[in-house]
Each structure stands twice: as structure tokens, then as C-alpha cells.
Amino acid sequence: MTFAEMIPAPRLAEVRPPGTTRLFASGRPAYSAHQRAYGPLPTVRDLSTLVREIEAAGLTGRGGAGFPTSRKIASLRSRTAAGGPPAVVIANGAEGEPLSVKDATLLRHAPHLVIDGLLLAASVAGAVEAYLYAGRDELAVVRQALAERQDASIVRLHEADDAFITGEASAVVNAIAGRAPVPSDHVVRLSESGLGGRPTLVQNVETLAQVALVARYGAAWFRTAGTDADPGTRLVSVCRDRGPTRVAEVPGGIAIEDALHAGGVNPRAVSAVLVGGFHGSWVPAHAFGTPLSPEGLAPFGAAPGAGILMALGFGACPLVVSSGIADYLSMESARQCGPCVNGLPAMASMLRRLAGRERNGGLPAEVRRLAALVSGRGSCHHPDGTARFVLSTLTVFAAEVDAHLAGRCTEVHA
Amino acid sequence: MNEALWALGRGTGVVALALLSLSVVLGIVHRSGRPLPGLPRFSVTLVHRDVSLLGAVFTLIHVIALFFDPQAQLNLVDFILPFLGTANPFWLGLGTVASDVLVALILTGLLRRSVGFRVFRFVHWFAYAMWPIALLHSFGDGTDSAAAWFNVVAVLCVAAVASAVIWRLTTGFVEFKKLRTGELP
Amino acid sequence: MSALRNELRRELRRESALLHIDWTACDGRGLCTELLPELLQRDEWGYPLSLGYGSNVPVPRALMDAAQDAVALCPRQALRMLGR
């Protein structure tokens, strides 16, 4: 029996959301609107079938790393089934990235879809405890949503701090365990030993909402949006280097220029886009036809990540903007690991001198040397992500770098 | 026989004081992260450990010798609980306190991977309390405290530990401190 | 051909363990870099550096004893051996 056959078919046909408006189909956060839009949460009788369905859907994590969701859930499931301690499932809605607002937006508009996904993940993983970790304002909406339903008594809420690094999985576990919300050194995966030494699944809230949709409508429906390589829809946060951020739900593999349009930004007024957030990479204007998929972005060293697109308007000096971001990232180090605490400010200061048009031909080499020095030498990926961003800046804006080293700048300095 | 025990007790006490002073100095050198001339960092650590263990052995001989010496009037309880002795209870009690702390330092030092870094460090801070207590004990309870040779030894110990502690409190103490701009004040 | 394969196998067996650095504990005291100069350099802030390997440094069999010493002597208990 396939998964689709387990669910009464006629009801499905009525409520299946068309097009790419999937996650926001309910319109309002109320439970009644949620049920009208999606129908009731299906009773999953065969949990391994749901894992297979998620695998067939090709759903990947929407928190940044893009790991296949089915494999993450399955590894936890096998551990619990092997007689280990009961598992813990955590919905991660902490967006440390100041540019990302898609998880907050999702929690405010569709809290019930996230709760559905959390409950499904908990039952598949055999978890008896489920947490939802998010900012205070979003938790208020979720708290109201939980009061509207009786089936979510295992869900506990935990407020997230507003710092860049709080969303890292081990930092999330530390926060919920009552420790400082900073990453910790780990030699085993959280799925082996996480919260209280138990197998722990930390899953982004958008991923869980997608799980709730796959459980209802199946893998074939999921794949009606997006491409074979990047199926389904994904949320993107689109912004200009200054200005508001807009969230849009776009099909997987959408061209960067179309994603910009969806976020209300005119691609013709943009010289480059930072894809994947502050730990991401720049994509120059001539490559805006590139699909927003792992394969499409690979040549730029970028990935869709958490779906952040920061557009750099003409007139803004990319090196000044990048230097500001590098400064911010160096300040956001959790100050635990020596190479990060010392290397990131050093790297940022070299970039600042480059942005300030210091005529010193050795600066780019020094930036590259420091980037190589910090990479891989931390308990989380903050130094690696920062190094990747800085190297991408030197590569994509090579012409600007040369101009700056000659004391000129092709763009107006703000 | 009693004379021999008495001499052994006094002698080992002075040697223990000298060894523990050297141990404190080596511990501070170790903490600085700097090597000594001809002695790489890991050797400083090992010598610090060995000198401490040797100091503990001499302390043990010191205590046992005086226990069997009737002149010292030591009871079993004086090994563990301070200030209950019959002769010189206060000065003897300081010796008991110092040896208790020494036992804690040695145990957490040898078992530091089991007790964890935090416990080890917390207990190890008490080395800075143990040393002056042991010094006071040697002056107050020591038969030779008026002797010139003992004063020479004591002054050397105090000078070595005091200069190491003063160095410890300066900003240039840790080898790479100046380069680590990111450290919080 | 088989000689090459044997050489490869020997190489794999030799690198049978990883030295893991806990950067949250490491204070750059430098004992490990003295004990394992073949594996670890020191960066400009004093922290151990094995370019390309990050937090998990493969230890050839010949250096296992030195690596065990580094683990035992690390003043910050920031090192441990991971079996492959």
C-alpha cells in the first residue's frame, strides 16, 4: 500500500493547495483556517512509509545545511528502535541571520503547519518530547495556536536569543538544556547524543511544515513544484542592501532573477546578489539566470542555504558593504574558539583596509591566508562560513579589488 | 631512635617546603605557556608534576616520622583534622590544613581527566593558599625556625614564589596575550 | 600493481586514528605542537594548526605515542583520540 492510499482520497483532492502557494495557503494563523486549507492531520499508521515518502519527495533541510530530511529522521528512528533512550525532536525557528525572516514569517502565518510537522517528526522518531525554539514574538503566536488544539500537549516552547549563532543545532540544544546558547564541541552527531544525552533531531521549522504537507499529499504532489534536482517549494527572504526584507514562496530551482522579482526587487537595478546569507557567496548580475538550487549555485561556491538573497544595488561599493558584513560576523563570534576569536577580526580588518582603498597590494593575499587559517578550526561553521563569504567577495569583485588597490573605486562610496 | 625520628621529621619538613615552593614556581611557569631554557613546555609540566609528587612524599615521611616520635605528641586525628593537637595546636593545625590541601591537589591532579577541567582548576587554585600556610607552619612549629640555615632556605623559597606570583600578575605573563586582540577584558 | 595496493593499505592502517581538537577548550599553550611537530604547527596566536585538517588530525601509527602524550598532557584537556 502506498502512502497516498492510506489517506481518504476525495477529501485530499478538495483541499490540495495548487501552485506554489503551499505554506501560506491558510491565509490566517487560526486553527479553523488551517483545517479548512489543509484538512486534518493524517493519522500515520505506518511510520516507515512516511519516511519513504519524505525520501521520495526529495525534501532537504531548509535551515541552511540542506541535508536530506528523510536520512536525518531515519537515523534517529533506527537508534530509538535499537532500544536506545527515547528521542527528542526540536523545531528550530531561530534565525540568527539578521537578513532572514522567513521562519518568523512562517510561524506567524502558519504555526499549525509547523506544529503538524513537529508532531509527525516526533511520532516517526519515537520521541516523547518535542520543543519549539523561536523568538519571543513568534512564540506568542505558537502559544495561541497550541491552545487551539488538543493533540499537541507534548510540545514545549523555548525562547531563542537574538544572536547570530543561536540557531546552530548544538547551540539550540545547549539553550534548551539551560546552558549558554553557544555551539559546543561535538565528536558525535546530535542524532546519537543530544539533549540530555538522548538522540536529538533538530529540524528547521520550514522543513517541518513541508513534512506536514508531504504527509498529507504525498511525494508526487510535492514534486509538482520545483525541479527534479530541487523539488518542492522553498521560502526565500529577499532584501536590498538597505530596505525591507520580503518573504516569498518560490519553486525549487527558480532562476535568481525570478526569485528577486518574487521578493519585489528589480534584478536590472542590481549588480550582484549575496545568496545564502552572510555565510553565503556573491553571484554577479551576468549570472542571474542561475537556478537557485544546490547544483546551479555550486560553481559560485554558494547554496540556497536558508533562502536568503541580498541584492546589491548599483552605486553601492561591494567592498564597503562586504567589509561591513565581515565586521559584523567577526563581532558575532561566540568567543569560544581561538582561531575564530582572533582570526575573524584580523580578516575583517584586512577587508576594511581594502574597502578604504589602501594602496597595499599584499592585502588580498593576506585575506586569503587568514581565510585558509580559520577554516575548519572551530566548534561550529562560523569561521568557515565567514571565510567563504570573504573569499567570494575577493573573487566576484576582483575588478573592484584591483581598482581599490589603485586608489580608485568604480562605485560611489556611501 | 627517637633522636633519629626527630631529625628525620625536621629534615623532611624543610625539604618538603623547598620542593613545594619549587612546584609553585614551576606551576606558574607552566601556566604562562612559556618554555624554560633547555626545558620545553611539556617538560615543565612533567617536572612540575614530579616535583609536586616528591614534595608530597617528603611531607608523608615528615608526618609519619613525627607520628612515631613521642616528643612530637602527634595523634592520628592530627593527620586529618586541624587544631586539635596537644602541643602547639595552632601551628600544628596549619600543617594539617596544608597537607589536607596537598592531598586534594595531588588527587585531582592525577585524576584530572576523570574529574574534569573545571573541578581540577577550582581545586588547583588552592595551591596559592596551601603554600603560605605550609610556610607559616614551618616557622611556627619548626624547631629550627631560629637557625640561620633555615632562614636562608625560607628566604630563598619566599623570594622565588613571590617573584613568580608578581610575574603571574603582570599583563605580559601569558605568551600570546598581546596578540589575542579578541579576548574580552 | 599489488605492491601499490599493499602500500595504500599500509598507509590506511598507519593513519588509524584521529586527534580531535576541542577549540572551545584550547588555549594555545603549545604543548601539543612541541610533542607533535610533524603534525601540528602553531598559528600566529599560538593555537595548534594542521592546515587542511581542521579539528580532526589524522595520526600516523609512528606518532601514536606522541599523540597519546599530547592528549594526556594538554593543560586544558582539549585533545582526545577518535578511533576511525
Side-chain angles (χ1 to χ4, degrees), chain A residues 335 341-342 345, chain B residues 180-182 184:
Chain A
R335 297 182 172 276
V341 173
N342 297 285
Chain B
R180 295 179 187 170
T181 50
L184 287 172

Side-chain angles (χ1 to χ4, degrees), chain B residues 20 23-24 27 48 101-102 105 121-134 161:
Chain B
L20 293 177
S23 170
V24 171
H48 167 62
V101 175
L102 184 61
L105 287 168
R121 183 171 54 182
F122 177 77
V123 176
H124 229 70
W125 274 109
F126 283 90
Y128 288 111
M130 183 221 50
W131 181 81
I133 293 172
V161 171

Side-chain angles (χ1 to χ4, degrees), chain C residues 8-64:
Chain C
L8 273 172
R9 216 173 281 155
R10 260 201 300 278
E11 188 65 36
L12 277 174
R13 225 180 301 137
R14 235 176 281 152
E15 293 185 28
S16 57
L18 294 170
L19 180 69
H20 175 77
I21 304 167
D22 175 355
W23 297 105
T24 66
C26 177
D27 194 30
R29 294 279 189 81
L31 275 77
C32 56
T33 58
E34 287 176 333
L35 289 162
L36 291 163
E38 303 89 342
L39 293 186
L40 300 172
Q41 298 163 277
R42 246 181 143 182
D43 70 13
E44 57 227 69
W45 310 287
Y47 300 98
L49 170 66
S50 176
L51 264 182
Y53 285 115
S55 308
N56 295 313
V57 184
V59 181
R61 184 153 282 190
L63 296 176
M64 272 310 273

